[in-house]
Amino acid sequence: MQSSDETDILATIGTRGSPLAQAQAYEVRDRLARAHQVAPERIAIKTIRTSGDAIQDRPLFDVGGKGLFTKEIEEALLAGSIDFAVHSSKDVPTFLPDETWLPAFLPREDVRDVFISPRAASLDDLPAGSTVGTASLRRQAMVLRLRPDLKVNTLRGNVETRLRKLDAGEADATLLALAGLNRLGLQDKATRILETEEFLPAVGQGAIAIESRRDDDRINAFVKAIGDSETEVALSAERSFLALLDGSCRTPIGGHCRVDGDRIYFRGLIISPDGTESYETVREGIRADAVALGADAAHELRERAGEKFFTLFAGA
């Protein structure tokens, strides 16, 4: 018989119920189990249905933004029914409740988007008038910037659902994150990988974030054991950039920070939803200046675009 200290639950993870969210939660659980040399079963996983999962018939920016994927999980965290949450970083709102923070990020997966279509080998090859399905305003805007002759419609749902909708002919093509496909073992579904130079990813894309209560010293020490410093530096620059550009789902924003030793390289973009107006900037600096570098890039774009750029699309 096992002793109680071998079977007691050490911590409970809160996560969404999609296959990708579950895969991410199990990856966190397994990494923690290895880091602390405990049985994986001693780290429980609690599935929480979020508003973002429940609402499938409208774009996120029409119903409150990406925070709909974290709201109920954060409520469970604050109530103490879970010890920490596992999120896709790009789903985490720019501003968290005062009582929570992001103490750790896992090593980042591939940040790139992929083009998927049964009808064309690339975005360039789609016939004029073809329909690209996506729930992302950033992807919509970047598609229309490259191909204003295409149509974009809303394609909601988890990765598998969107792939099924594509097979059913609801769109001629779609765009997804390569990181999600990799984590689900579906990377063979990608028709073409889009390089970041041509298709800038969302802030936080490819990174798994852990959210916990600031005052929970035991859990914070527990999860920091699997934190990746390079991802933390990159995300601090990207989230700083996002925070000063509103960070809502109303303004399409792309941002990516690459870490190379002590140097960081950042590129940021804001773009109108129809793809006709865009502003980009780049920064290079040292790791210690990541937050300031992201903020400086945001200030530049806000000044260049003017406040009208942001208010123009706020009610779109």
Side-chain angles (χ1 to χ4, degrees), residues 64-312:
K66 61 184 179 181
L68 294 173
F69 285 128
T70 60
K71 178 176 176 288
E72 286 81 2
I73 299 174
E74 285 181 339
E75 289 171 351
L77 179 61
L78 294 171
S81 60
I82 61 173
D83 293 302
F84 62 93
V86 172
H87 306 295
S88 292
S89 291
K90 68 177 181 178
D91 290 338
V92 179
T94 316
F95 301 101
L96 301 174
D98 291 341
E99 303 90 340
T100 73
W101 70 318
L102 305 175
F105 299 90
L106 267 57
R108 199 170 199 173
E109 245 284 4
D110 199 310
V111 302
R112 294 174 294 179
D113 280 315
V114 299
F115 171 83
I116 304 175
S117 176
R119 297 179 174 85
S122 70
L123 190 63
D124 288 342
D125 293 333
L126 279 173
S130 296
T131 300
V132 177
T134 180
S136 162
L137 203 58
R138 171 189 60 89
R139 289 176 178 141
Q140 168 190 304
M142 295 184 75
V143 164
L144 293 175
R145 179 171 71 162
L146 294 169
R147 289 289 310 274
D149 57 321
L150 297 178
K151 300 174 183 175
V152 178
N153 66 3
T154 300
L155 202 66
R156 286 287 315 280
N158 62 42
V159 171
E160 294 88 345
T161 298
R162 281 181 275 176
L163 290 173
R164 283 196 298 272
K165 288 180 176 180
L166 182 63
D167 288 340
E170 292 189 27
D172 297 307
T174 191
L175 301 163
L176 294 173
L178 180 54
L181 295 180
N182 286 342
R183 290 187 175 116
L184 292 168
L186 296 172
Q187 55 267 40
D188 62 328
K189 299 293 185 181
T191 305
R192 183 173 180 270
I193 296 173
L194 303 174
E195 297 301 328
T196 58
E197 291 76 17
E198 64 173 325
F199 219 89
L200 196 63
V203 163
Q205 188 155 308
I208 295 173
I210 294 174
E211 182 181 10
S212 64
R213 294 180 292 273
R214 287 183 182 273
D215 62 359
D216 194 333
D217 294 339
R218 181 185 74 86
I219 289 297
N220 289 329
F222 187 67
V223 300
K224 281 184 177 181
I226 61 170
D228 181 73
S229 62
E230 284 197 2
T231 305
E232 183 177 357
V233 168
L235 267 289
S236 67
E238 292 175 21
R239 288 178 61 80
S240 173
F241 174 75
L242 190 66
L244 288 168
L245 291 172
D246 176 22
S248 73
C249 281
R250 288 287 182 184
T251 305
I253 298 171
H256 176 235
C257 181
R258 180 173 62 86
V259 181
D260 185 3
D262 191 47
R263 305 293 297 175
I264 58 174
Y265 304 87
F266 176 83
R267 181 174 162 226
L269 163 77
I270 55 175
I271 184 171
S272 62
D274 63 3
T276 59
E277 187 178 357
S278 63
Y279 301 87
E280 296 185 50
T281 190
V282 295
R283 289 290 187 281
E284 178 181 347
I286 60 173
R287 288 170 66 129
D289 291 340
V291 172
L293 182 145
D296 187 60
H299 281 303
E300 180 199 326
L301 293 190
R302 185 172 280 279
E303 183 175 333
R304 285 170 54 197
E307 290 307 307
K308 184 179 178 182
F309 180 89
F310 298 92
T311 58
L312 187 62

Side-chain angles (χ1 to χ4, degrees), residues 1-11 38-39 41-43:
M1 177 181 293
Q2 290 180 309
S3 63
S4 61
D5 64 342
E6 291 178 319
T7 58
D8 287 347
I9 298 300
L10 293 172
V38 299
E41 294 74 20
R42 296 188 65 193
I43 303 168

